[in-house]
Amino acid sequence: MKGTTDLTQGPIMPTLMRLTLPIIATNFISTTYGLVDMIWVGRLGSGPVAAVGTASFFINLAIALSTMITIGTGIKVSHCMGAGQIDKAKSYVKNGFILSILLGLFYMVFIFLAQNYLIGFFDLGSAEIELMSKQFLLVSTIGTVFSILNILYATILNAMGNSKQPFHISSVGLILNILLDPLLIFGVGSFEGWGVVGAAIATLIANIVVTVLFVLQSRHSELIAKSSMWDSHQMKEVIRLGLPITIQRVTFTLISIVIAKIVVRWGADAIAVQKVGIQIESISYMTIGGLQGAIAAFFGQNYGARQLDRIQQGYRKALVLTSVFGIFISLLFILFPEQLFSLFLSDKKSLALGMDYMRMIGLSQLFMCMELMTVGAFNGIGKTHIPPIFSITFTALRIPLALILSEPFGLNGIWMAIALSSVIKGLVLVLWFRRSLGKLKELQSVI
């Protein structure tokens, strides 16, 4: 079919790389939206950065909820493609879009009604910072509808083996965001700019443009068809597959909110440092997210075609790639924390706190990368319920660990708790996937 790629044939490493690199590039672009915003907002001071960081937790919550639809849809589409069931794949795509639009609209209403309670939970200690945070949240929430649709478009195209188109379209959005950010934040000529709100509006406009481009580019796609029907059974199946990942990501976001509540005891500067640190860490998170997406699509099609040997070989090669990248990022964070952090915040207090954060988190990057790649492997074979069991358990440990370790080590104790949980999750998931794959092969040989 036009615009699709058969991932069940050909040499494994070149196939993985052709699929992975455009997804990595696309994920880098998504990450760069936040990085660009943070670089410009950082020039306004740590207060505005804290405002954006606080609001961002609830934007991340929307994206976490959307995985209930995007992950399940991507898995079913890749399985159908591998099994040659094209009409069924079309139906899954149509139902995925219906669910995404409904979710985006419901979440927007929720945020508009609950904004005071959500931002007030953090007790930021400054009415000005709280107001900026609410303003950023409201504008950004409108954009979540478009963000969810963009993620779904990219997931579907990746499942089809077409990872280049999302990269090209997302590049346009990034360029537009880069151009709009300084203009809308600081102004030009007689226009004085809108500060933090300007950053949110720039991202909103970019997301809308990306959605429009996806619609225009896919209007002639055979898979994204308007004629397919609403199917409640398929919707339930998509949600069933996506729900475990959603529970994991929502729980992760909620735990992050609780951790931020602990961090705020050290002031708004500490929240700003955490937000900037997360943005820098997203470089490795999104890069391996590209490999995760490629692995999910590759394993999905090969699982649909029942080629388990090809899955096993693919996992070994992906683990090598992940390890090389993870070690590189760990060294980068540990050896060059000041150079990285000073791109966003330059005052002495924030810089000192930020360097400590980067060194602590740097110790866990290899294991975090192993965890994320293996989640993609589990998703590809349809066992989406396994990673959340370990992720939720060990991520939840961050809260008591943070409370315990912050007593002797202060703020650094919280960063230690985060790093330690990532190490444990990475090791456990890799071992469990090898065990699960062995069981699948045994079952196939019996059948």
Side-chain angles (χ1 to χ4, degrees):
M1 180 185 291
K2 182 180 179 182
T4 65
T5 300
D6 185 357
L7 303 177
T8 64
Q9 305 294 326
I12 293 174
M13 185 61 82
T15 300
L16 275 176
M17 293 308 296
R18 281 197 303 271
L19 188 61
T20 300
L21 292 176
I23 301 177
I24 289 175
T26 303
N27 285 348
F28 259 124
I29 288 169
S30 299
T31 304
T32 305
Y33 276 75
L35 288 172
V36 170
D37 284 350
M38 200 53 59
I39 288 172
W40 288 112
V41 171
R43 297 189 179 186
L44 299 174
S46 60
V49 172
V52 172
T54 302
S56 294
F57 284 116
F58 302 107
I59 305 305
N60 294 338
L61 182 59
I63 302 304
L65 287 169
S66 73
T67 57
M68 179 170 53
I69 301 160
T70 57
I71 294 291
T73 300
I75 291 170
K76 295 309 297 184
V77 169
S78 63
H79 285 182
C80 290
M81 295 294 294
Q85 299 171 334
I86 305 305
D87 288 337
K88 199 172 181 180
K90 291 179 183 179
S91 185
Y92 277 114
V93 169
K94 177 66 173 289
N95 287 286
F97 279 113
I98 293 171
L99 285 170
S100 293
I101 292 170
L102 290 174
L103 173 64
L105 293 175
F106 278 126
Y107 192 80
M108 185 166 60
V109 172
F110 164 71
I111 290 295
F112 272 77
L113 293 176
Q115 55 174 305
N116 291 329
Y117 302 102
L118 297 174
I119 300 301
F121 170 78
F122 289 93
D123 192 19
L124 293 170
S126 167
E128 183 182 5
I129 294 176
E130 286 192 1
L131 177 61
M132 284 189 291
S133 190
K134 290 176 189 175
Q135 291 172 337
F136 185 89
L137 177 61
L138 291 178
V139 176
S140 298
T141 300
I142 298 171
T144 57
V145 179
F146 301 98
S147 295
I148 292 171
L149 286 175
N150 294 340
I151 293 169
L152 182 61
Y153 267 114
T155 301
I156 291 168
L157 290 168
N158 291 339
M160 294 163 59
N162 179 8
S163 56
K164 290 183 179 179
Q165 194 172 64
F167 165 64
H168 294 148
I169 292 175
S170 298
S171 296
V172 176
L174 172 63
I175 293 169
L176 183 59
N177 191 59
I178 289 173
L179 294 174
L180 289 176
D181 255 341
L183 296 179
L184 297 183
I185 293 173
F186 300 103
V188 60
S190 59
F191 171 58
E192 295 183 357
W194 293 318
V196 164
V197 176
I201 292 174
T203 302
L204 171 61
I205 293 172
N207 275 323
I208 292 173
V209 169
V210 168
T211 302
V212 170
L213 289 175
F214 269 127
V215 171
L216 292 175
Q217 289 295 315
S218 63
R219 67 187 185 279
H220 299 306
S221 170
E222 296 177 62
L223 196 59
I224 304 177
K226 298 183 179 67
S227 58
S228 54
M229 299 297 292
W230 173 299
D231 188 322
S232 60
H233 174 73
Q234 287 189 349
M235 287 184 175
K236 290 177 183 176
E237 197 170 5
V238 163
I239 291 173
R240 179 184 63 81
L241 279 172
L243 189 58
I245 303 297
T246 300
I247 293 172
Q248 172 191 338
R249 295 190 181 180
V250 168
T251 303
F252 182 85
T253 303
L254 294 177
I255 291 170
S256 297
I257 290 172
V258 175
I259 292 293
K261 178 71 172 177
I262 299 172
V263 169
V264 82
R265 289 158 48 188
W266 280 267
D269 286 335
I271 285 286
V273 164
Q274 185 189 27
K275 174 58 182 175
V276 170
I278 290 171
Q279 286 294 141
I280 297 173
E281 190 183 9
S282 66
I283 295 171
S284 57
Y285 185 95
M286 287 300 183
T287 301
I288 290 301
L291 183 57
Q292 181 189 76
I295 284 291
F298 179 85
F299 281 23
Q301 287 196 24
N302 283 282
Y303 184 74
R306 292 296 183 263
Q307 296 195 35
L308 297 186
D309 285 337
R310 190 169 168 84
I311 289 176
Q312 190 172 45
Q313 292 175 47
Y315 184 75
R316 284 200 300 265
K317 295 178 186 296
L319 193 58
V320 171
L321 284 174
T322 299
S323 299
V324 171
F325 176 78
I327 291 170
F328 169 75
I329 289 295
S330 289
L331 292 174
L332 184 67
F333 285 9
I334 293 168
L335 298 177
F336 304 103
E338 182 176 2
Q339 291 84 343
L340 290 170
F341 210 87
S342 62
L343 294 172
F344 303 88
L345 291 171
S346 56
D347 62 280
K348 289 185 178 180
K349 181 180 179 181
S350 296
L351 192 56
L353 294 174
M355 289 170 63
D356 288 340
Y357 179 95
M358 296 304 299
R359 290 193 181 103
M360 295 291 179
I361 297 300
L363 296 172
S364 66
Q365 290 305 291
L366 168 61
F367 303 95
M368 185 270 288
C369 292
M370 291 164 58
E371 175 200 354
L372 291 178
M373 186 277 291
T374 305
V375 168
F378 275 115
N379 291 347
I381 62 175
K383 294 188 176 295
T384 57
H385 63 286
I386 293 177
I389 295 172
F390 298 107
S391 180
I392 291 171
T393 301
F394 294 119
T395 303
L397 280 177
R398 291 180 177 181
I399 296 174
L401 279 175
L403 291 171
I404 293 169
L405 294 176
S406 63
E407 288 299 321
F409 299 108
L411 194 57
N412 285 343
I414 300 176
W415 313 147
M416 289 178 191
I418 294 172
L420 183 59
S421 69
S422 292
V423 171
I424 297 171
K425 286 189 292 181
L427 291 174
V428 170
L429 270 181
V430 169
L431 293 173
W432 203 270
F433 181 78
R434 289 183 177 277
R435 177 176 177 272
S436 299
L437 195 56
K439 286 188 173 182
L440 279 177
K441 293 192 72 176
E442 288 176 10
L443 182 61
Q444 186 183 50
S445 63
V446 172
I447 295 173

